[in-house]
Amino acid sequence: MAGDKAVLLISCLDQRGIIARVSNHLYRLDCNIITSDQHTDDEDGHFFWRISFESQRLPVPEIRAELERSMDSLLPGLGLKWRLYDAARRDRMVLMVSRLPHCMSDLLSRRHVGELDADIVAVISNHPDLGPLVTPFNVPFTVIPVEKGAKAKAEETLLGELRALNADTVVLARYMQVLSGDFLRKWGKPIVNIHHSFLPAFAGARPYKQAHDRGVKLIGATAHYVTEELDAGPIIAQATTEVTHRDTVADLARKGKDIEVAVLAKAVRAHLQKRVLVHGNRTIVFD
Amino acid sequence: MAGDKAVLLISCLDQRGIIARVSNHLYRLDCNIITSDQHTDDEDGHFFWRISFESQRLPVPEIRAELERSMDSLLPGLGLKWRLYDAARRDRMVLMVSRLPHCMSDLLSRRHVGELDADIVAVISNHPDLGPLVTPFNVPFTVIPVEKGAKAKAEETLLGELRALNADTVVLARYMQVLSGDFLRKWGKPIVNIHHSFLPAFAGARPYKQAHDRGVKLIGATAHYVTEELDAGPIIAQATTEVTHRDTVADLARKGKDIEVAVLAKAVRAHLQKRVLVHGNRTIVFD
Amino acid sequence: MAGDKAVLLISCLDQRGIIARVSNHLYRLDCNIITSDQHTDDEDGHFFWRISFESQRLPVPEIRAELERSMDSLLPGLGLKWRLYDAARRDRMVLMVSRLPHCMSDLLSRRHVGELDADIVAVISNHPDLGPLVTPFNVPFTVIPVEKGAKAKAEETLLGELRALNADTVVLARYMQVLSGDFLRKWGKPIVNIHHSFLPAFAGARPYKQAHDRGVKLIGATAHYVTEELDAGPIIAQATTEVTHRDTVADLARKGKDIEVAVLAKAVRAHLQKRVLVHGNRTIVFD
Amino acid sequence: MAGDKAVLLISCLDQRGIIARVSNHLYRLDCNIITSDQHTDDEDGHFFWRISFESQRLPVPEIRAELERSMDSLLPGLGLKWRLYDAARRDRMVLMVSRLPHCMSDLLSRRHVGELDADIVAVISNHPDLGPLVTPFNVPFTVIPVEKGAKAKAEETLLGELRALNADTVVLARYMQVLSGDFLRKWGKPIVNIHHSFLPAFAGARPYKQAHDRGVKLIGATAHYVTEELDAGPIIAQATTEVTHRDTVADLARKGKDIEVAVLAKAVRAHLQKRVLVHGNRTIVFD
């Protein structure tokens, strides 16, 4: 009974009948809907839909071709955007790191035990330190140093590397450099970052120091898509953990590591499963 | 654009095309699907579906009559069960309590601020103590004492009362009597209980004492539907909270109160919104 | 064996021998230390100590008189501050509210079941709405309206009322007026506030709206001492809870209520048990 | 100002003056108490005390010699037990694993970044699979297979190995063999195990399958000291995480991994810092 699997993401203005029309259409194509999640934004009436389905007759590329012929006439006049992901095609993911290993090691480990639907095609760092920890996972480790005053050049090298790798997704797993707007525009594909605070509190540098100085009783971590404005992109996942007056800045960093790891893994997993849709500066994250 | 609102629950064997057929049918009845949640049990292939929709043309009773005519032929041979709930009809809920007020007061407060889609038509207790706390909420408070050796008689009175109240749902909000299988069968409608442990650990009497003796580092609370076997019914919601070696049994009871309240409120809310489906001894709880 | 109970709070510059000297002194006074918690600030070397003890021979007022004679010479030259609390003397607490009942009802309920070591001597509101919910608890409910342009007058009335009540602690349990610096200076005793965000994020008005607009995946609540700068006082307790893209601003308010209640109760309990010490704009909260 | 650091653990029957006598004694030895945590068991009157201090004059071995001379006369007739740990001496820890890497990799990583006060002197497994993941950490990896019917022989080898390594602490980081009572008695030193359920629920084999069958809404993990009765030893740390009807047994295992890792790390850290005291079948875990 198992057929080809795919995920269909749809966003458009809401209207009566969208679900009936599309599910009917997929039914006629011999596709069996496995999961279906929808959301309508109360404020602007936008409709978001994620369907995972199994195609019993046609391979996914033929489903795609068919949808390209039919979707616009199926849902006309609604500003429709849609995208079909073939479950057989694994995302090509690049991790970028600096000197702190915890997020990188965690993602490599999760990939190793089959928990992430992606190939990690490279780890790129501005420092050589973490190389040995990558070795057992058989993933290439590349150092692209960022010299003072030569950031543009480093970003050019990085861009070439990412393109050569044909990467789909970049994950900044505690990469301690700010990527320029110029780089972001040229790259143009999703970049997930982990910031070690509960944004919007403590954006920018040294968030654990900021948190300690303010005397908060929780610290947080935030995974978000990178946009040109620092630490201001659409949030995918957040978590907090308790701290006390006993905790120094170093203790906050130690305790914070665990939620950074958890939040980044959750966000990356959701992203890879095409469960995250961006709507303005907010995200819809289906379960 | 607002029409009559309703919730449709469907369970049947899974088969390709169910979603297409039903959503198409609702579309032809001028119903707009607002939310849709589905689940297929991997082990036995049962399919569960909850749809909330808005009917633009027909009132809900006519939709119901139409579905009664059509559903069996729409989904034949799948052991179909379905139920339609008119959102305009509020559940009639009865709270049963003994001497501890926290769960009762919380549910009364939530109802008071409009957080629960139900009328609380009575609070019934085997003790008079909590009466004064019910007064400000304008809900009748009835005492049905349970004399030693006269439980059957008390249950008969209770049954008469619940029937007279035309109650839909009974919530045992720390009611410290065990209801007999005979009573449960006669009553035949859902009863939600809060048990002050993380079931299946510490079922039965004095769970906080049991937890203390075992030296656990978390205590829990469990909301479940009542079945004849004590503390063994389908679980709706659970939560835990941290405890330490400093906590006496009394401290566990104090800390536990807060999660009892939270878990029961969550379960009752889900139940009233028809988001809970029972499947054997397990539940599906849609978000 | 039970004697008079008391709590001693000490803060001074750290030095070797403080614990030995004070515990020795209490031993000679026939006091048995029951709990002892200490903290040294790594940055400025301040030492904070909380001791609860049982006096086997002398009543607490005589212990206090004795400490007044001896403490300065026991710990000379360390900028010593200390305070002794007689456990037999219950704090006089005033709740201030506006129209939302949840925090008030929760504190009244906790007091009712003996969970808070205080007398709630009044509930004061700028609106009459919540009066009926206070009635069953036998606590006076007083309305002090705040007319537009007449805030100074209302604060004067409030100050008179608090003084007449001989209140020790004021709790702003969703009191929707900002108290002026002038009032705070005149009153001069601790005021605990609950703010419905994870401070420092979303200070000021409509934090749930701010949180929704930013698209956060957690919302928070913060209990803090009130200082002249709005929402910037020393934080006592914080908590967060998960939200999703489905949640409207009203949903955030509904979900947030539960953590407001939990955080405020935790902070008030710690404050009443003299477990909170203020150090600059931060707090030490002993377990 | 920094001197030699040490931790002193004391347990005895409670009596007035213990703190005064010991802190005085340490003061005369020129030791500065840095942290002090105490607990008295309400039921049996046992007193537990953990002091960390800095010795300004004497090295820790001389402090130990001095305490050996003085402690019995300082606290006579109280069934005193005490132990002094020199902070300069790092514990020698052995990890035991089978085929699942997550707990092992996490502990190796934490050690690598300096988060655990121990040397990991070996990883021992009954399978060769995890060897490559140990390589980057420069820790010997030893395989001791457990052949069917030859468990006693394997345990003998293991015992020899642990003795040769002069190990202080053994951590069963998802080691899938039950150690015999005979082995435990011969070894006689602490063994920390992680069990993948919220004990006492779901002890024994396949806890995630058991949890799935019962339909719980939370799954748990428990770190405990190993005793002869399976999964019944003193609990050090526990945590739970939410699951839903969507989660298969495999999903529970995936989600459970994260709390297994967190709970085991927390327990190992507390154990290594001598913050765990065993009292009957319960633990005192100081913060």
Side-chain angles (χ1 to χ4, degrees):
Chain A
M1 153 150 183
D4 274 16
K5 287 182 183 176
V7 169
L8 176 63
L9 297 186
I10 286 178
S11 79
C12 60
L13 287 175
D14 198 9
Q15 200 186 53
R16 195 163 57 78
I18 295 173
I19 292 178
R21 277 181 250 168
V22 174
S23 56
N24 233 5
H25 191 60
L26 288 172
Y27 177 56
R28 282 190 303 254
L29 294 170
D30 287 334
C31 295
N32 190 27
I33 294 174
I34 301 167
T35 67
S36 164
D37 291 283
Q38 60 182 98
H39 175 65
T40 303
D41 187 302
D42 280 351
E43 286 164 24
D44 63 13
H46 254 82
F47 174 77
F48 300 89
W49 196 15
R50 179 190 186 274
I51 316 166
S52 69
F53 63 83
E54 216 166 26
S55 171
Q56 305 295 344
R57 185 165 45 90
L58 302 171
V60 174
E62 292 189 30
I63 297 281
R64 177 177 287 114
E66 167 52 33
L67 293 184
E68 274 163 6
R69 276 190 295 273
S70 55
M71 284 294 276
D72 276 345
S73 55
L74 205 62
L75 301 173
L78 301 174
L80 175 71
K81 287 178 196 170
W82 64 272
R83 203 155 172 185
L84 186 75
Y85 295 93
D86 188 341
R89 199 241 173 226
R90 301 168 62 78
D91 265 37
R92 297 176 64 78
M93 183 161 70
V94 170
L95 307 187
M96 295 193 62
V97 299
S98 292
R99 282 192 167 112
L100 294 172
H102 53 280
C103 287
M104 176 197 81
S105 292
D106 178 74
L107 290 172
L108 288 168
S109 293
R110 289 183 197 271
R111 174 63 201 94
H112 184 71
V113 297
E115 195 180 316
L116 296 179
D117 294 324
D119 292 324
I120 299 180
V121 294
V123 175
I124 297 177
S125 179
N126 54 332
H127 292 290
D129 311 28
L130 299 182
L133 293 177
V134 181
T135 308
F137 298 98
N138 295 315
V139 170
F141 178 78
T142 305
V143 178
I144 302 180
V146 182
E147 310 291 347
K148 243 188 179 169
K151 186 166 165 172
K153 194 165 151 275
E155 288 193 340
E156 202 178 318
T157 309
L158 173 61
L159 191 64
E161 188 74 17
L162 293 177
R163 284 174 176 164
L165 288 161
N166 192 23
D168 298 297
T169 296
V170 173
V171 176
L172 307 185
R174 297 299 305 267
Y175 180 66
M176 297 286 88
Q177 296 284 328
V178 177
L179 296 169
S180 71
D182 187 52
F183 172 85
L184 298 176
R185 278 184 299 272
K186 282 181 183 155
W187 172 238
K189 293 193 203 171
I191 302 178
V192 177
N193 182 46
I194 180 73
H195 182 75
H196 41 308
S197 85
F198 178 43
L199 289 173
F202 311 132
R206 306 199 64 196
Y208 290 132
K209 177 69 166 60
Q210 292 182 56
H212 188 263
D213 289 349
R214 179 59 187 92
V216 291
K217 299 299 182 185
L218 298 173
I219 53 168
T222 303
H224 63 93
Y225 288 116
V226 174
T227 55
E228 196 160 346
E229 190 183 343
L230 187 66
D231 298 330
I235 294 170
I236 309 169
Q238 296 187 294
T240 55
T241 195
E242 290 193 10
V243 297
T244 77
H245 58 272
R246 299 176 196 250
D247 293 310
T248 61
V249 175
D251 291 325
L252 299 194
R254 175 179 54 79
K255 290 187 169 181
K257 278 194 313 130
D258 291 351
I259 48 171
E260 292 169 33
V261 159
V263 162
L264 183 58
K266 184 178 177 184
V268 166
R269 190 174 158 84
H271 172 80
L272 292 175
Q273 295 180 339
K274 327 301 177 203
R275 293 190 282 108
V276 188
L277 289 86
V278 173
H279 181 41
N281 201 41
R282 313 177 67 214
T283 61
I284 290 127
V285 183
F286 289 121
D287 297 329
Chain B
M1 149 149 187
D4 274 16
K5 289 184 182 175
V7 169
L8 176 63
L9 298 186
I10 286 177
S11 80
C12 60
L13 288 174
D14 199 10
Q15 200 187 52
R16 194 164 58 77
I18 295 172
I19 292 178
R21 277 182 248 167
V22 174
S23 56
N24 233 4
H25 192 61
L26 289 174
Y27 177 55
R28 281 191 301 254
L29 294 170
D30 287 334
C31 296
N32 189 28
I33 295 174
I34 301 167
T35 68
S36 163
D37 291 283
Q38 61 182 94
H39 174 65
T40 303
D41 187 301
D42 279 351
E43 287 164 23
D44 64 13
H46 255 81
F47 174 77
F48 301 87
W49 195 16
R50 179 191 186 275
I51 316 166
S52 69
F53 62 84
E54 216 166 24
S55 172
Q56 305 294 343
R57 185 165 45 91
L58 302 172
V60 174
E62 292 188 30
I63 298 279
R64 177 177 288 114
E66 167 52 34
L67 293 183
E68 274 162 8
R69 276 189 295 272
S70 55
M71 284 293 278
D72 277 345
S73 56
L74 205 63
L75 301 173
L78 301 174
L80 175 71
K81 285 180 198 169
W82 65 273
R83 204 157 170 184
L84 186 74
Y85 296 92
D86 188 340
R89 198 234 173 235
R90 299 168 64 79
D91 265 37
R92 297 174 64 79
M93 183 162 69
V94 169
L95 308 186
M96 295 192 64
V97 299
S98 291
R99 282 195 166 109
L100 293 172
H102 52 280
C103 287
M104 176 196 81
S105 291
D106 178 74
L107 290 172
L108 288 169
S109 293
R110 288 184 197 270
R111 173 62 201 93
H112 184 72
V113 298
E115 194 180 316
L116 296 178
D117 294 327
D119 292 323
I120 300 181
V121 294
V123 176
I124 297 177
S125 180
N126 55 332
H127 292 291
D129 312 28
L130 299 184
L133 293 176
V134 181
T135 308
F137 297 98
N138 294 316
V139 170
F141 179 77
T142 305
V143 178
I144 302 180
V146 183
E147 311 290 347
K148 244 190 176 166
K151 185 166 165 174
K153 195 167 151 274
E155 288 192 339
E156 202 177 316
T157 309
L158 174 60
L159 192 63
E161 187 74 17
L162 293 176
R163 284 175 176 165
L165 287 162
N166 192 24
D168 298 296
T169 296
V170 173
V171 176
L172 307 185
R174 296 301 304 268
Y175 180 66
M176 297 286 86
Q177 296 283 326
V178 176
L179 296 169
S180 71
D182 187 51
F183 172 85
L184 297 177
R185 278 185 298 275
K186 282 180 183 156
W187 171 239
K189 294 193 203 170
I191 302 178
V192 177
N193 183 46
I194 180 74
H195 182 75
H196 41 307
S197 86
F198 179 44
L199 291 174
F202 312 132
R206 305 198 65 195
Y208 291 132
K209 177 68 168 60
Q210 293 182 57
H212 187 263
D213 289 351
R214 178 60 187 91
V216 292
K217 299 299 183 188
L218 296 174
I219 53 169
T222 303
H224 64 93
Y225 288 117
V226 174
T227 56
E228 196 159 347
E229 191 184 342
L230 187 65
D231 299 329
I235 294 169
I236 309 169
Q238 296 187 293
T240 54
T241 194
E242 291 192 10
V243 297
T244 77
H245 58 273
R246 298 176 195 249
D247 291 310
T248 62
V249 175
D251 290 325
L252 299 193
R254 174 178 54 79
K255 289 188 171 181
K257 277 192 317 129
D258 290 350
I259 49 171
E260 293 169 32
V261 158
V263 162
L264 182 58
K266 185 179 176 183
V268 166
R269 190 174 157 86
H271 172 79
L272 293 175
Q273 295 180 338
K274 325 302 176 203
R275 292 190 281 109
V276 188
L277 290 86
V278 174
H279 182 42
N281 202 40
R282 313 176 68 214
T283 61
I284 291 126
V285 183
F286 290 120
D287 295 330
Chain C
M1 152 151 185
D4 274 14
K5 288 183 183 175
V7 169
L8 176 63
L9 298 186
I10 286 177
S11 79
C12 59
L13 286 175
D14 199 9
Q15 199 185 55
R16 197 164 55 77
I18 295 173
I19 292 178
R21 278 181 248 168
V22 175
S23 56
N24 234 5
H25 192 60
L26 289 173
Y27 177 55
R28 282 191 301 255
L29 294 170
D30 287 335
C31 295
N32 190 27
I33 294 175
I34 301 168
T35 67
S36 163
D37 292 282
Q38 60 182 96
H39 174 65
T40 304
D41 188 302
D42 280 351
E43 287 163 25
D44 63 13
H46 254 81
F47 174 76
F48 300 89
W49 196 15
R50 179 190 186 275
I51 315 165
S52 69
F53 63 85
E54 216 166 25
S55 172
Q56 305 294 344
R57 184 164 46 89
L58 301 172
V60 175
E62 291 189 30
I63 298 281
R64 176 177 289 114
E66 166 53 32
L67 294 184
E68 275 163 8
R69 277 190 295 273
S70 55
M71 285 293 277
D72 277 345
S73 55
L74 205 64
L75 302 172
L78 301 174
L80 175 71
K81 286 179 198 169
W82 65 273
R83 203 156 174 187
L84 186 75
Y85 296 92
D86 188 340
R89 198 236 174 235
R90 301 168 62 80
D91 264 38
R92 297 176 63 79
M93 183 161 71
V94 170
L95 308 186
M96 294 193 63
V97 299
S98 291
R99 284 194 166 111
L100 293 171
H102 53 279
C103 287
M104 176 196 80
S105 291
D106 178 73
L107 290 172
L108 288 169
S109 293
R110 289 184 196 270
R111 174 63 202 93
H112 184 72
V113 298
E115 196 180 315
L116 296 179
D117 294 327
D119 292 324
I120 300 180
V121 294
V123 176
I124 297 177
S125 179
N126 55 332
H127 291 290
D129 312 27
L130 299 183
L133 294 176
V134 181
T135 308
F137 298 97
N138 294 315
V139 169
F141 178 77
T142 305
V143 178
I144 302 180
V146 182
E147 311 292 346
K148 246 192 177 164
K151 186 165 165 175
K153 195 165 150 273
E155 288 192 340
E156 202 177 317
T157 309
L158 174 61
L159 192 63
E161 188 75 17
L162 293 176
R163 285 174 176 166
L165 288 161
N166 192 22
D168 298 297
T169 295
V170 173
V171 176
L172 307 185
R174 297 299 305 267
Y175 180 65
M176 297 285 87
Q177 296 283 328
V178 177
L179 296 168
S180 71
D182 186 53
F183 172 86
L184 297 177
R185 278 185 297 274
K186 282 179 184 157
W187 172 238
K189 294 193 203 169
I191 303 178
V192 177
N193 182 45
I194 181 73
H195 182 75
H196 41 308
S197 86
F198 178 58
L199 290 174
F202 311 132
R206 305 199 64 195
Y208 291 132
K209 177 68 167 59
Q210 292 183 56
H212 187 264
D213 289 350
R214 179 59 187 92
V216 291
K217 299 298 183 187
L218 298 174
I219 53 169
T222 303
H224 63 93
Y225 288 116
V226 174
T227 55
E228 196 161 345
E229 191 184 342
L230 187 67
D231 299 328
I235 293 170
I236 309 168
Q238 296 187 293
T240 55
T241 194
E242 289 193 12
V243 297
T244 76
H245 58 272
R246 298 176 196 250
D247 291 311
T248 61
V249 175
D251 291 325
L252 299 193
R254 174 178 54 79
K255 290 187 170 182
K257 277 193 316 130
D258 290 352
I259 49 170
E260 292 169 32
V261 159
V263 162
L264 183 58
K266 185 178 177 185
V268 166
R269 191 175 157 85
H271 171 80
L272 293 174
Q273 295 180 339
K274 326 301 176 203
R275 293 191 281 109
V276 188
L277 290 85
V278 173
H279 182 40
N281 202 40
R282 313 177 68 214
T283 62
I284 291 127
V285 183
F286 290 120
D287 295 330
Chain D
M1 154 151 183
D4 274 15
K5 288 183 183 174
V7 169
L8 176 63
L9 298 185
I10 286 177
S11 79
C12 59
L13 286 175
D14 198 9
Q15 201 188 50
R16 197 162 56 78
I18 295 173
I19 292 178
R21 277 181 249 168
V22 174
S23 55
N24 234 4
H25 191 61
L26 289 173
Y27 177 55
R28 282 191 302 254
L29 294 169
D30 287 334
C31 296
N32 190 27
I33 295 175
I34 301 166
T35 67
S36 163
D37 292 283
Q38 59 182 98
H39 174 65
T40 303
D41 187 303
D42 280 350
E43 288 164 21
D44 63 13
H46 255 82
F47 174 77
F48 301 89
W49 195 15
R50 179 191 186 274
I51 315 167
S52 69
F53 63 85
E54 217 167 22
S55 172
Q56 305 294 344
R57 184 165 44 91
L58 302 170
V60 175
E62 292 189 31
I63 298 281
R64 175 177 289 115
E66 166 53 32
L67 293 183
E68 274 162 8
R69 277 190 293 274
S70 55
M71 284 294 277
D72 276 344
S73 56
L74 205 64
L75 301 173
L78 300 175
L80 176 71
K81 287 180 196 166
W82 65 273
R83 204 157 172 184
L84 186 74
Y85 296 92
D86 188 339
R89 198 235 174 235
R90 300 168 63 79
D91 265 38
R92 297 175 63 79
M93 183 161 70
V94 170
L95 308 187
M96 296 193 60
V97 299
S98 291
R99 284 195 165 109
L100 293 172
H102 53 281
C103 287
M104 177 197 80
S105 292
D106 178 72
L107 290 172
L108 288 168
S109 293
R110 288 184 197 270
R111 174 62 201 92
H112 183 72
V113 298
E115 193 179 318
L116 296 179
D117 293 325
D119 292 323
I120 300 179
V121 294
V123 175
I124 298 178
S125 180
N126 55 332
H127 293 290
D129 312 27
L130 298 184
L133 292 177
V134 181
T135 308
F137 298 98
N138 294 316
V139 170
F141 179 78
T142 306
V143 178
I144 302 180
V146 183
E147 310 291 346
K148 245 191 176 163
K151 184 167 166 172
K153 195 165 150 277
E155 288 192 341
E156 204 177 316
T157 310
L158 174 60
L159 192 63
E161 187 74 18
L162 293 177
R163 285 173 175 164
L165 288 162
N166 192 23
D168 298 296
T169 296
V170 173
V171 176
L172 308 185
R174 296 299 303 268
Y175 179 66
M176 298 286 87
Q177 296 283 327
V178 177
L179 296 169
S180 71
D182 187 52
F183 171 86
L184 297 177
R185 278 183 299 273
K186 282 181 183 155
W187 172 237
K189 293 192 203 171
I191 303 177
V192 177
N193 182 46
I194 180 74
H195 181 75
H196 41 308
S197 85
F198 178 59
L199 290 173
F202 313 132
R206 305 198 65 194
Y208 290 132
K209 176 69 167 60
Q210 292 182 58
H212 187 262
D213 290 350
R214 178 60 187 92
V216 292
K217 300 298 183 187
L218 298 173
I219 53 169
T222 304
H224 63 95
Y225 288 117
V226 174
T227 56
E228 196 159 345
E229 189 183 341
L230 186 67
D231 299 331
I235 294 169
I236 309 168
Q238 297 187 292
T240 55
T241 194
E242 291 194 10
V243 297
T244 76
H245 58 272
R246 298 175 196 251
D247 291 310
T248 62
V249 175
D251 290 326
L252 299 194
R254 173 178 55 77
K255 290 187 171 184
K257 276 192 316 127
D258 290 350
I259 50 171
E260 293 168 32
V261 159
V263 162
L264 183 58
K266 185 179 175 182
V268 166
R269 188 175 159 84
H271 171 80
L272 293 174
Q273 295 180 338
K274 325 302 178 202
R275 293 190 281 110
V276 189
L277 289 86
V278 174
H279 181 41
N281 201 40
R282 312 177 68 213
T283 61
I284 290 126
V285 184
F286 289 122
D287 295 329

